[in-house]
Amino acid sequence: MAQARTSRRYLKAFVSGFFVAVPVTVTALDRLAYVARVEGASMQPSLNPDGSDSDVVLLNRWSVRNSQVQRGDIVSVVSPRNPRQKIIKRVIGLEGDFIRTLGYKNRYVKVPDGHFWIEGDHHGHSLDSNSFGPVSVGLMHGRASHIIWPPHRWQRIDPSLPPNRGPLEMGEDDD
Amino acid sequence: MFFPQVKMFRGLLGKTLGFVGYTIQYGCIAHCAFEYIGEFVVCSGPSMEPTIVSHDIVFSERMSRHLCKIQKGDIVIAKSPYDPTMNICKRVIGLEGDRVSTRSDIFSSHTYVPKGHVWLEGDNLRNSTDSRSYGPIPYGLIRGRVCLKLWPAHTFGTLGENPNKQNVKSHKESD
């Protein structure tokens, strides 16, 4: 008799704990932060420099809730070619920037409103804006803020543009 | 002399923490409901008349979007490709691979919807900015499928079919 009562109590505690833990965890993963393993070589040497070990990054979802992003950030984006897949690339240009492309159908591109231009650091091994053009900011999923695995690669990711990749400065002509 | 104040303070602190805990728990349950089940949307604008008119309240379910089961003829809520903070409500006219006609005032031509994209048009073709002006949008921008109209009460129920007879060939059909 006593055994049935205690097991029922444990079951009740488990079920009520479950209904607290699952929504809170799901909300935290959707709104605060997400952890993801980086696959592929398109962001070498920043991410996955070895090719044998995959980096695990912390994706900050809170900082992108208002679609705010700056040039040089590494962001995770829902792929415009495959909505089930997320790709992780670096933001090179924001709306209104002029970009000199690497292998896109147009040599120069003006990034339209509400879009941005993303590229992998490893040019030639990357499926990015140079293949499918500017990407809508609405597809942005999160900003990679830290590398958290493997332990010897633990570091904060700071926004930085690669050399020679960035918006073209529209300089004024000298008269 | 000291003890009653400490006891009252502890009681108040306990109640406050309990209240905060309940708020977080029910907030997370609400987030999960709006994110994975469905949300209420107030529509504004004339682009979906007569199916949906301005100030109608509709219910848009999220499951079809997460399971990638949006079909041709569905009315969807999507993030605007040119402004990630705005949402648009249009009907899906073509899925990836479909041949859609881009009717314009001067000429009409055909185009194929690229992989991972959808072609949206409003039911009020004369007064709607949609894929005919900005092209196909990535599937990842879709938020949910409108399945039920809730307000005004005399129009409660499911929504009608496309009032514009479109001759859209799917890539599976043969001539």
Side-chain angles (χ1 to χ4, degrees):
Chain A
M1 274 310 167
Q3 239 175 355
R5 231 177 289 150
T6 42
S7 69
R8 205 181 305 163
R9 201 159 13 128
Y10 280 134
L11 184 68
K12 206 169 147 188
F14 176 78
V15 166
S16 61
F18 183 82
F19 277 107
V20 169
V22 167
V24 171
T25 312
V26 168
T27 306
L29 290 177
D30 279 346
R31 296 261 174 168
L32 296 179
Y34 202 74
V35 172
R37 183 177 219 105
V38 179
E39 310 260 326
S42 64
M43 283 297 290
Q44 284 177 347
S46 318
L47 300 176
N48 284 3
D50 285 332
S52 49
D53 236 3
S54 286
D55 284 348
V56 176
V57 295
L58 183 72
L59 293 171
N60 187 341
R61 305 217 55 199
W62 184 251
S63 61
V64 300
R65 69 191 184 283
N66 292 327
S67 302
Q68 287 166 331
V69 64
Q70 48 175 319
R71 296 181 197 89
D73 274 345
I74 298 184
V75 292
S76 100
V77 158
V78 175
S79 167
R81 289 236 179 115
N82 183 357
R84 292 177 204 260
Q85 203 186 36
K86 294 196 183 50
I87 56 179
I88 187 159
K89 302 282 180 249
R90 196 182 291 273
V91 176
I92 301 294
L94 300 175
E95 62 185 13
D97 288 348
F98 283 89
I99 304 285
R100 181 166 41 91
T101 67
L102 297 170
Y104 187 53
K105 57 183 179 184
N106 301 327
R107 187 95 190 275
Y108 292 96
V109 158
K110 179 169 189 271
V111 180
D113 285 344
H115 286 66
F116 55 5
W117 188 269
I118 57 176
E119 282 181 8
D121 288 345
H122 195 177
H123 303 302
H125 278 81
S126 170
L127 189 70
D128 52 26
S129 284
N130 288 313
S131 320
F132 41 69
V135 175
S136 183
V137 175
L139 292 174
M140 182 167 59
H141 193 249
R143 186 176 65 85
S145 58
H146 293 78
I147 300 178
I148 58 176
W149 189 267
H152 64 89
R153 293 215 4 108
W154 215 101
Q155 63 187 272
R156 201 169 79 147
I157 301 178
D158 291 317
S160 71
L161 284 171
N164 299 328
R165 297 306 303 148
L168 299 172
E169 307 292 332
M170 302 314 283
E172 290 175 1
D173 294 324
D174 299 315
D175 281 65
Chain B
M1 279 282 276
F2 209 35
F3 292 136
Q5 278 102 322
V6 173
K7 213 165 148 186
M8 203 165 63
F9 176 72
R10 273 222 208 115
L12 192 63
L13 187 67
K15 282 208 184 79
T16 312
L17 285 178
F19 177 73
V20 169
Y22 270 120
T23 310
I24 293 179
Q25 183 187 346
Y26 286 114
C28 293
I29 292 179
H31 166 90
C32 289
F34 290 132
E35 184 70 28
Y36 295 102
I37 302 178
E39 52 185 2
F40 302 101
V41 181
V42 180
C43 303
S44 67
S47 60
M48 280 299 291
E49 285 171 5
T51 316
I52 302 175
V53 303
S54 208
H55 306 306
D56 278 358
I57 302 181
V58 298
F59 182 75
S60 115
E61 53 99 356
R62 298 285 218 148
M63 287 310 297
S64 299
R65 182 248 177 267
H66 288 297
L67 301 174
C68 291
K69 290 242 188 298
I70 302 281
Q71 291 169 337
K72 217 183 323 193
D74 285 346
I75 303 179
V76 296
I77 309 278
K79 282 196 221 171
S80 165
Y82 288 95
D83 186 353
T85 57
M86 297 245 313
N87 295 317
I88 59 177
C89 175
K90 304 278 180 238
R91 196 183 287 269
V92 175
I93 300 297
L95 300 170
E96 64 184 13
D98 287 347
R99 189 165 169 257
V100 293
S101 73
T102 62
R103 227 174 281 114
S104 172
D105 288 329
I106 311 165
F107 57 88
S108 82
S109 68
H110 291 96
T111 181
Y112 286 93
V113 180
K115 188 164 181 292
H117 287 63
V118 293
W119 187 270
L120 302 180
E121 283 180 17
D123 284 354
N124 188 357
L125 286 176
R126 283 208 194 89
N127 206 348
S128 165
T129 355
D130 46 40
S131 287
R132 290 169 302 158
S133 15
Y134 48 67
I137 72 162
Y139 190 103
L141 286 178
I142 294 179
R143 285 177 65 114
R145 182 181 72 95
V146 176
C147 55
L148 209 58
K149 198 199 286 201
L150 300 170
W151 189 266
H154 61 87
T155 56
F156 181 93
T158 52
L159 295 117
E161 299 247 312
N162 192 348
N164 310 304
K165 288 296 166 229
Q166 294 274 337
N167 194 15
V168 177
K169 288 200 184 100
S170 157
H171 66 290
K172 294 198 191 79
E173 291 171 11
S174 52
D175 288 76

